[in-house]
Amino acid sequence: MDKNYSRLGDVENMCHEYVDKPPYNFSDKGLYGNYRCDAPPFLLDQTINMMKDMEANPDFILWTGDNLPHTKTSPEWDVVYEEIKSITDRLRRAFPETQILPCIGNRDLSPVNVIDPRKSSRSIYEGFLDKAGWHELLNKSKGFEEETFTRGGYYSVSVSSSLRVITLNSNLWYKKNNYTTRRRDPARQLQWLENVLNESYTNEQQVYIIGHIPPGFYSKAIPKKKGEQMYHEHFMQPLLMILRRYSEIIKGQFYGHFHLDMFQIFRYATGSIKGFALLAPSMSPWYEEKNSTLSVPVNPGVRLITYSRRDSVVSDYTQYYLDLEKANDEESGAYLPLYTFSKIYDVTEISSDSLNKVYNNLKKDQNLFETFYNLLTVGKKSLPCNNNCKVSQLCSMFSYTLKDYEKCTGLSNIIVEKSFFDKSVNYLLFYVSLLLLILTACVLFYLLYSTFCSDSKNMAKKTSTKTLDSIEGWQQLRLHIQDRPGFLRISFSGSMNVVKPSVSAVGVNSGHSKICFGLSDWISGQSLYCMDLVSSEWIFMPL
């Protein structure tokens, strides 16, 4: 929520009015908000009222964080607590008997994105409880331990005898948090998570996990670039091991942050699918126009989830949306059902198996993928999704380590359906390229074979061996001459009783008709020997 939103504000300044300047222009930015700006208080109030109309007494509310606006400068901590307290009070008034389970988003920090687990973190987390009003939300929840929250901003509560909700502080693992780059387990959250899951398993409780930032990669990427990785890489393997070990009792994970409506499935090295996450879209319609390939406008959204109280299986959900443009035009709006998951994707429940089925259908069925892509932005039309866009989107839905993500985006595991024309062109190019490759190989083979045969014949004709028998100090000194086009090679072999000769000079006259070389040794000094290559006669010339 942005309390400074103004209908006369500047969209380049988050719809804020300048203090020392006249209004940017007098165009109305909208009663319900603007796609370039965060949600005004009026939109928040309307959203909470409509939530109450949808379901007056829900079992619990998952509040996934990011309550402060996307301003260029970070507010002070007192402002952070004040803004969150304003939202807390609104929710408590509307749902006085409902358990409201909040978590901390990356925009709920000062400065944003970062928090040092070693420095004054206890007083910071105490501020959420005391100044932001979360004590009133959590103290009445069964099993809430203040100690874990003040240590690292995470906690768990039992919403029933058979279901526990674990709330993570995903900021501790966030890749933009440079304070935890080299920390193995900041605030001991990984160790705590495993302990709580083990305790839940022992007590035969099912588990939901919630947080603000999901694991994995952002679903939109610049062509030929990786999507933004959410967690530091060194946290992923320990986290995935824990999630896999307790996948039997983890009935769902729920995150926000992307402002998009999508899901993730957890596929492990064995090929098994164990676990899923549902990512809810935001109430804020904000997007950053200067980076339109990564940030896209969305309609405000609210999600109503149904689940089985018996075994905690997520049965279904209905996504509600507010058509922002229409609401602003008419200055009246209502949240309407956008879709129900089971109906649009033809499944009977939301589970690892059913979501894997939907995922495979999205890869093969282009019409279904286009429907999914339209729902991704809560009914707000965005740029068309080309092949790079589709690969990035689908890979982000089941890749969590850098290795897996690069493997997915770099290989053709993602089956992208194309038109018959596209396929025909691809096949034609493939066969033409293959034919050219074969022809080139044949030509090269012919040239190499011809050169080899020619050289062999020349070598056979021009190679000769001569023996010098009466040179003082040596016995059977052999001179080997190989005359091939372009060069003349000379070598010596034989037995000697004094010392191996050394070649001090080699000279060849024009036309290669005569070769001369000098030999030296410790006994006879230097001598010059020449051989007439035509008559094969040796000429001895002492120096």
Side-chain angles (χ1 to χ4, degrees), residues 347-363:
V347 295
T348 58
E349 64 180 19
I350 298 178
S351 63
S352 301
D353 291 338
S354 67
L355 289 177
N356 187 47
K357 172 188 172 184
V358 174
Y359 180 81
N360 288 326
N361 289 338
L362 291 175
K363 291 195 294 183

mmCIF file with all atom_site columns, all heavy atoms in Angstrom, residues 347-363:
data_model
loop_
_atom_site.group_PDB
_atom_site.id
_atom_site.type_symbol
_atom_site.label_atom_id
_atom_site.label_alt_id
_atom_site.label_comp_id
_atom_site.label_asym_id
_atom_site.label_entity_id
_atom_site.label_seq_id
_atom_site.pdbx_PDB_ins_code
_atom_site.Cartn_x
_atom_site.Cartn_y
_atom_site.Cartn_z
_atom_site.occupancy
_atom_site.B_iso_or_equiv
_atom_site.pdbx_formal_charge
_atom_site.auth_seq_id
_atom_site.auth_comp_id
_atom_site.auth_asym_id
_atom_site.auth_atom_id
_atom_site.pdbx_PDB_model_num
ATOM 1   N N   . VAL A 1 347 ? -8.548  -30.818 -13.610 1.00 0.00 ? 347 VAL A N   1
ATOM 2   C CA  . VAL A 1 347 ? -7.988  -31.677 -12.564 1.00 0.00 ? 347 VAL A CA  1
ATOM 3   C C   . VAL A 1 347 ? -9.001  -31.761 -11.427 1.00 0.00 ? 347 VAL A C   1
ATOM 4   O O   . VAL A 1 347 ? -9.896  -30.922 -11.306 1.00 0.00 ? 347 VAL A O   1
ATOM 5   C CB  . VAL A 1 347 ? -6.637  -31.145 -12.036 1.00 0.00 ? 347 VAL A CB  1
ATOM 6   C CG1 . VAL A 1 347 ? -5.582  -31.186 -13.124 1.00 0.00 ? 347 VAL A CG1 1
ATOM 7   C CG2 . VAL A 1 347 ? -6.781  -29.729 -11.482 1.00 0.00 ? 347 VAL A CG2 1
ATOM 8   N N   . THR A 1 348 ? -8.850  -32.770 -10.578 1.00 0.00 ? 348 THR A N   1
ATOM 9   C CA  . THR A 1 348 ? -9.795  -32.967 -9.474  1.00 0.00 ? 348 THR A CA  1
ATOM 10  C C   . THR A 1 348 ? -9.285  -32.404 -8.157  1.00 0.00 ? 348 THR A C   1
ATOM 11  O O   . THR A 1 348 ? -10.057 -32.223 -7.217  1.00 0.00 ? 348 THR A O   1
ATOM 12  C CB  . THR A 1 348 ? -10.096 -34.463 -9.293  1.00 0.00 ? 348 THR A CB  1
ATOM 13  O OG1 . THR A 1 348 ? -8.866  -35.167 -9.057  1.00 0.00 ? 348 THR A OG1 1
ATOM 14  C CG2 . THR A 1 348 ? -10.770 -35.023 -10.540 1.00 0.00 ? 348 THR A CG2 1
ATOM 15  N N   . GLU A 1 349 ? -7.974  -32.148 -8.071  1.00 0.00 ? 349 GLU A N   1
ATOM 16  C CA  . GLU A 1 349 ? -7.375  -31.562 -6.878  1.00 0.00 ? 349 GLU A CA  1
ATOM 17  C C   . GLU A 1 349 ? -6.062  -30.916 -7.277  1.00 0.00 ? 349 GLU A C   1
ATOM 18  O O   . GLU A 1 349 ? -5.597  -31.063 -8.418  1.00 0.00 ? 349 GLU A O   1
ATOM 19  C CB  . GLU A 1 349 ? -7.134  -32.627 -5.802  1.00 0.00 ? 349 GLU A CB  1
ATOM 20  C CG  . GLU A 1 349 ? -6.124  -33.682 -6.224  1.00 0.00 ? 349 GLU A CG  1
ATOM 21  C CD  . GLU A 1 349 ? -5.884  -34.729 -5.151  1.00 0.00 ? 349 GLU A CD  1
ATOM 22  O OE1 . GLU A 1 349 ? -6.733  -34.858 -4.254  1.00 0.00 ? 349 GLU A OE1 1
ATOM 23  O OE2 . GLU A 1 349 ? -4.840  -35.415 -5.214  1.00 0.00 ? 349 GLU A OE2 1
ATOM 24  N N   . ILE A 1 350 ? -5.460  -30.204 -6.341  1.00 0.00 ? 350 ILE A N   1
ATOM 25  C CA  . ILE A 1 350 ? -4.159  -29.581 -6.602  1.00 0.00 ? 350 ILE A CA  1
ATOM 26  C C   . ILE A 1 350 ? -3.110  -30.358 -5.818  1.00 0.00 ? 350 ILE A C   1
ATOM 27  O O   . ILE A 1 350 ? -3.051  -30.288 -4.583  1.00 0.00 ? 350 ILE A O   1
ATOM 28  C CB  . ILE A 1 350 ? -4.165  -28.096 -6.211  1.00 0.00 ? 350 ILE A CB  1
ATOM 29  C CG1 . ILE A 1 350 ? -5.203  -27.347 -7.051  1.00 0.00 ? 350 ILE A CG1 1
ATOM 30  C CG2 . ILE A 1 350 ? -2.786  -27.484 -6.419  1.00 0.00 ? 350 ILE A CG2 1
ATOM 31  C CD1 . ILE A 1 350 ? -5.327  -25.878 -6.714  1.00 0.00 ? 350 ILE A CD1 1
ATOM 32  N N   . SER A 1 351 ? -2.315  -31.109 -6.540  1.00 0.00 ? 351 SER A N   1
ATOM 33  C CA  . SER A 1 351 ? -1.298  -31.964 -5.931  1.00 0.00 ? 351 SER A CA  1
ATOM 34  C C   . SER A 1 351 ? -0.086  -32.005 -6.853  1.00 0.00 ? 351 SER A C   1
ATOM 35  O O   . SER A 1 351 ? -0.099  -31.446 -7.962  1.00 0.00 ? 351 SER A O   1
ATOM 36  C CB  . SER A 1 351 ? -1.844  -33.378 -5.724  1.00 0.00 ? 351 SER A CB  1
ATOM 37  O OG  . SER A 1 351 ? -2.160  -33.969 -6.980  1.00 0.00 ? 351 SER A OG  1
ATOM 38  N N   . SER A 1 352 ? 0.960   -32.687 -6.414  1.00 0.00 ? 352 SER A N   1
ATOM 39  C CA  . SER A 1 352 ? 2.155   -32.815 -7.250  1.00 0.00 ? 352 SER A CA  1
ATOM 40  C C   . SER A 1 352 ? 1.829   -33.489 -8.572  1.00 0.00 ? 352 SER A C   1
ATOM 41  O O   . SER A 1 352 ? 2.272   -33.053 -9.644  1.00 0.00 ? 352 SER A O   1
ATOM 42  C CB  . SER A 1 352 ? 3.229   -33.618 -6.507  1.00 0.00 ? 352 SER A CB  1
ATOM 43  O OG  . SER A 1 352 ? 3.585   -32.992 -5.295  1.00 0.00 ? 352 SER A OG  1
ATOM 44  N N   . ASP A 1 353 ? 1.043   -34.553 -8.521  1.00 0.00 ? 353 ASP A N   1
ATOM 45  C CA  . ASP A 1 353 ? 0.714   -35.294 -9.741  1.00 0.00 ? 353 ASP A CA  1
ATOM 46  C C   . ASP A 1 353 ? -0.158  -34.473 -10.686 1.00 0.00 ? 353 ASP A C   1
ATOM 47  O O   . ASP A 1 353 ? 0.071   -34.451 -11.900 1.00 0.00 ? 353 ASP A O   1
ATOM 48  C CB  . ASP A 1 353 ? 0.007   -36.605 -9.380  1.00 0.00 ? 353 ASP A CB  1
ATOM 49  C CG  . ASP A 1 353 ? 0.940   -37.596 -8.699  1.00 0.00 ? 353 ASP A CG  1
ATOM 50  O OD1 . ASP A 1 353 ? 2.168   -37.466 -8.879  1.00 0.00 ? 353 ASP A OD1 1
ATOM 51  O OD2 . ASP A 1 353 ? 0.445   -38.483 -7.985  1.00 0.00 ? 353 ASP A OD2 1
ATOM 52  N N   . SER A 1 354 ? -1.161  -33.794 -10.135 1.00 0.00 ? 354 SER A N   1
ATOM 53  C CA  . SER A 1 354 ? -2.063  -33.034 -11.005 1.00 0.00 ? 354 SER A CA  1
ATOM 54  C C   . SER A 1 354 ? -1.342  -31.844 -11.634 1.00 0.00 ? 354 SER A C   1
ATOM 55  O O   . SER A 1 354 ? -1.553  -31.528 -12.814 1.00 0.00 ? 354 SER A O   1
ATOM 56  C CB  . SER A 1 354 ? -3.287  -32.559 -10.221 1.00 0.00 ? 354 SER A CB  1
ATOM 57  O OG  . SER A 1 354 ? -2.934  -31.608 -9.236  1.00 0.00 ? 354 SER A OG  1
ATOM 58  N N   . LEU A 1 355 ? -0.465  -31.191 -10.878 1.00 0.00 ? 355 LEU A N   1
ATOM 59  C CA  . LEU A 1 355 ? 0.265   -30.056 -11.435 1.00 0.00 ? 355 LEU A CA  1
ATOM 60  C C   . LEU A 1 355 ? 1.302   -30.508 -12.456 1.00 0.00 ? 355 LEU A C   1
ATOM 61  O O   . LEU A 1 355 ? 1.584   -29.793 -13.425 1.00 0.00 ? 355 LEU A O   1
ATOM 62  C CB  . LEU A 1 355 ? 0.935   -29.257 -10.318 1.00 0.00 ? 355 LEU A CB  1
ATOM 63  C CG  . LEU A 1 355 ? -0.026  -28.461 -9.426  1.00 0.00 ? 355 LEU A CG  1
ATOM 64  C CD1 . LEU A 1 355 ? 0.729   -27.763 -8.308  1.00 0.00 ? 355 LEU A CD1 1
ATOM 65  C CD2 . LEU A 1 355 ? -0.814  -27.447 -10.234 1.00 0.00 ? 355 LEU A CD2 1
ATOM 66  N N   . ASN A 1 356 ? 1.867   -31.680 -12.267 1.00 0.00 ? 356 ASN A N   1
ATOM 67  C CA  . ASN A 1 356 ? 2.776   -32.221 -13.276 1.00 0.00 ? 356 ASN A CA  1
ATOM 68  C C   . ASN A 1 356 ? 2.026   -32.498 -14.578 1.00 0.00 ? 356 ASN A C   1
ATOM 69  O O   . ASN A 1 356 ? 2.542   -32.254 -15.677 1.00 0.00 ? 356 ASN A O   1
ATOM 70  C CB  . ASN A 1 356 ? 3.425   -33.506 -12.759 1.00 0.00 ? 356 ASN A CB  1
ATOM 71  C CG  . ASN A 1 356 ? 4.514   -34.018 -13.688 1.00 0.00 ? 356 ASN A CG  1
ATOM 72  O OD1 . ASN A 1 356 ? 5.366   -33.257 -14.142 1.00 0.00 ? 356 ASN A OD1 1
ATOM 73  N ND2 . ASN A 1 356 ? 4.475   -35.305 -13.989 1.00 0.00 ? 356 ASN A ND2 1
ATOM 74  N N   . LYS A 1 357 ? 0.801   -32.978 -14.459 1.00 0.00 ? 357 LYS A N   1
ATOM 75  C CA  . LYS A 1 357 ? -0.041  -33.192 -15.642 1.00 0.00 ? 357 LYS A CA  1
ATOM 76  C C   . LYS A 1 357 ? -0.316  -31.867 -16.349 1.00 0.00 ? 357 LYS A C   1
ATOM 77  O O   . LYS A 1 357 ? -0.193  -31.764 -17.579 1.00 0.00 ? 357 LYS A O   1
ATOM 78  C CB  . LYS A 1 357 ? -1.354  -33.851 -15.222 1.00 0.00 ? 357 LYS A CB  1
ATOM 79  C CG  . LYS A 1 357 ? -2.385  -33.949 -16.334 1.00 0.00 ? 357 LYS A CG  1
ATOM 80  C CD  . LYS A 1 357 ? -3.729  -34.423 -15.802 1.00 0.00 ? 357 LYS A CD  1
ATOM 81  C CE  . LYS A 1 357 ? -4.812  -34.334 -16.871 1.00 0.00 ? 357 LYS A CE  1
ATOM 82  N NZ  . LYS A 1 357 ? -6.151  -34.717 -16.336 1.00 0.00 ? 357 LYS A NZ  1
ATOM 83  N N   . VAL A 1 358 ? -0.671  -30.841 -15.583 1.00 0.00 ? 358 VAL A N   1
ATOM 84  C CA  . VAL A 1 358 ? -0.936  -29.526 -16.175 1.00 0.00 ? 358 VAL A CA  1
ATOM 85  C C   . VAL A 1 358 ? 0.323   -28.990 -16.844 1.00 0.00 ? 358 VAL A C   1
ATOM 86  O O   . VAL A 1 358 ? 0.275   -28.451 -17.960 1.00 0.00 ? 358 VAL A O   1
ATOM 87  C CB  . VAL A 1 358 ? -1.436  -28.540 -15.097 1.00 0.00 ? 358 VAL A CB  1
ATOM 88  C CG1 . VAL A 1 358 ? -1.569  -27.135 -15.673 1.00 0.00 ? 358 VAL A CG1 1
ATOM 89  C CG2 . VAL A 1 358 ? -2.771  -29.006 -14.529 1.00 0.00 ? 358 VAL A CG2 1
ATOM 90  N N   . TYR A 1 359 ? 1.451   -29.149 -16.186 1.00 0.00 ? 359 TYR A N   1
ATOM 91  C CA  . TYR A 1 359 ? 2.722   -28.659 -16.732 1.00 0.00 ? 359 TYR A CA  1
ATOM 92  C C   . TYR A 1 359 ? 3.025   -29.313 -18.080 1.00 0.00 ? 359 TYR A C   1
ATOM 93  O O   . TYR A 1 359 ? 3.406   -28.630 -19.043 1.00 0.00 ? 359 TYR A O   1
ATOM 94  C CB  . TYR A 1 359 ? 3.841   -28.939 -15.735 1.00 0.00 ? 359 TYR A CB  1
ATOM 95  C CG  . TYR A 1 359 ? 5.204   -28.484 -16.201 1.00 0.00 ? 359 TYR A CG  1
ATOM 96  C CD1 . TYR A 1 359 ? 5.589   -27.159 -16.090 1.00 0.00 ? 359 TYR A CD1 1
ATOM 97  C CD2 . TYR A 1 359 ? 6.102   -29.382 -16.764 1.00 0.00 ? 359 TYR A CD2 1
ATOM 98  C CE1 . TYR A 1 359 ? 6.831   -26.731 -16.525 1.00 0.00 ? 359 TYR A CE1 1
ATOM 99  C CE2 . TYR A 1 359 ? 7.339   -28.971 -17.201 1.00 0.00 ? 359 TYR A CE2 1
ATOM 100 C CZ  . TYR A 1 359 ? 7.704   -27.643 -17.075 1.00 0.00 ? 359 TYR A CZ  1
ATOM 101 O OH  . TYR A 1 359 ? 8.931   -27.232 -17.520 1.00 0.00 ? 359 TYR A OH  1
ATOM 102 N N   . ASN A 1 360 ? 2.873   -30.614 -18.166 1.00 0.00 ? 360 ASN A N   1
ATOM 103 C CA  . ASN A 1 360 ? 3.130   -31.310 -19.431 1.00 0.00 ? 360 ASN A CA  1
ATOM 104 C C   . ASN A 1 360 ? 2.156   -30.868 -20.517 1.00 0.00 ? 360 ASN A C   1
ATOM 105 O O   . ASN A 1 360 ? 2.522   -30.765 -21.697 1.00 0.00 ? 360 ASN A O   1
ATOM 106 C CB  . ASN A 1 360 ? 3.051   -32.822 -19.222 1.00 0.00 ? 360 ASN A CB  1
ATOM 107 C CG  . ASN A 1 360 ? 4.240   -33.354 -18.439 1.00 0.00 ? 360 ASN A CG  1
ATOM 108 O OD1 . ASN A 1 360 ? 5.352   -32.853 -18.573 1.00 0.00 ? 360 ASN A OD1 1
ATOM 109 N ND2 . ASN A 1 360 ? 4.008   -34.350 -17.601 1.00 0.00 ? 360 ASN A ND2 1
ATOM 110 N N   . ASN A 1 361 ? 0.916   -30.594 -20.135 1.00 0.00 ? 361 ASN A N   1
ATOM 111 C CA  . ASN A 1 361 ? -0.058  -30.097 -21.115 1.00 0.00 ? 361 ASN A CA  1
ATOM 112 C C   . ASN A 1 361 ? 0.316   -28.703 -21.609 1.00 0.00 ? 361 ASN A C   1
ATOM 113 O O   . ASN A 1 361 ? 0.114   -28.372 -22.782 1.00 0.00 ? 361 ASN A O   1
ATOM 114 C CB  . ASN A 1 361 ? -1.457  -30.081 -20.504 1.00 0.00 ? 361 ASN A CB  1
ATOM 115 C CG  . ASN A 1 361 ? -2.021  -31.479 -20.309 1.00 0.00 ? 361 ASN A CG  1
ATOM 116 O OD1 . ASN A 1 361 ? -1.584  -32.430 -20.958 1.00 0.00 ? 361 ASN A OD1 1
ATOM 117 N ND2 . ASN A 1 361 ? -2.984  -31.615 -19.410 1.00 0.00 ? 361 ASN A ND2 1
ATOM 118 N N   . LEU A 1 362 ? 0.864   -27.874 -20.728 1.00 0.00 ? 362 LEU A N   1
ATOM 119 C CA  . LEU A 1 362 ? 1.289   -26.532 -21.135 1.00 0.00 ? 362 LEU A CA  1
ATOM 120 C C   . LEU A 1 362 ? 2.413   -26.602 -22.165 1.00 0.00 ? 362 LEU A C   1
ATOM 121 O O   . LEU A 1 362 ? 2.504   -25.751 -23.059 1.00 0.00 ? 362 LEU A O   1
ATOM 122 C CB  . LEU A 1 362 ? 1.755   -25.731 -19.917 1.00 0.00 ? 362 LEU A CB  1
ATOM 123 C CG  . LEU A 1 362 ? 0.690   -25.312 -18.906 1.00 0.00 ? 362 LEU A CG  1
ATOM 124 C CD1 . LEU A 1 362 ? 1.336   -24.635 -17.703 1.00 0.00 ? 362 LEU A CD1 1
ATOM 125 C CD2 . LEU A 1 362 ? -0.337  -24.390 -19.539 1.00 0.00 ? 362 LEU A CD2 1
ATOM 126 N N   . LYS A 1 363 ? 3.275   -27.595 -22.051 1.00 0.00 ? 363 LYS A N   1
ATOM 127 C CA  . LYS A 1 363 ? 4.366   -27.743 -23.012 1.00 0.00 ? 363 LYS A CA  1
ATOM 128 C C   . LYS A 1 363 ? 3.851   -28.131 -24.395 1.00 0.00 ? 363 LYS A C   1
ATOM 129 O O   . LYS A 1 363 ? 4.381   -27.688 -25.410 1.00 0.00 ? 363 LYS A O   1
ATOM 130 C CB  . LYS A 1 363 ? 5.360   -28.805 -22.523 1.00 0.00 ? 363 LYS A CB  1
ATOM 131 C CG  . LYS A 1 363 ? 6.160   -28.392 -21.298 1.00 0.00 ? 363 LYS A CG  1
ATOM 132 C CD  . LYS A 1 363 ? 7.358   -29.294 -21.088 1.00 0.00 ? 363 LYS A CD  1
ATOM 133 C CE  . LYS A 1 363 ? 6.957   -30.704 -20.746 1.00 0.00 ? 363 LYS A CE  1
ATOM 134 N NZ  . LYS A 1 363 ? 8.140   -31.563 -20.482 1.00 0.00 ? 363 LYS A NZ  1
#
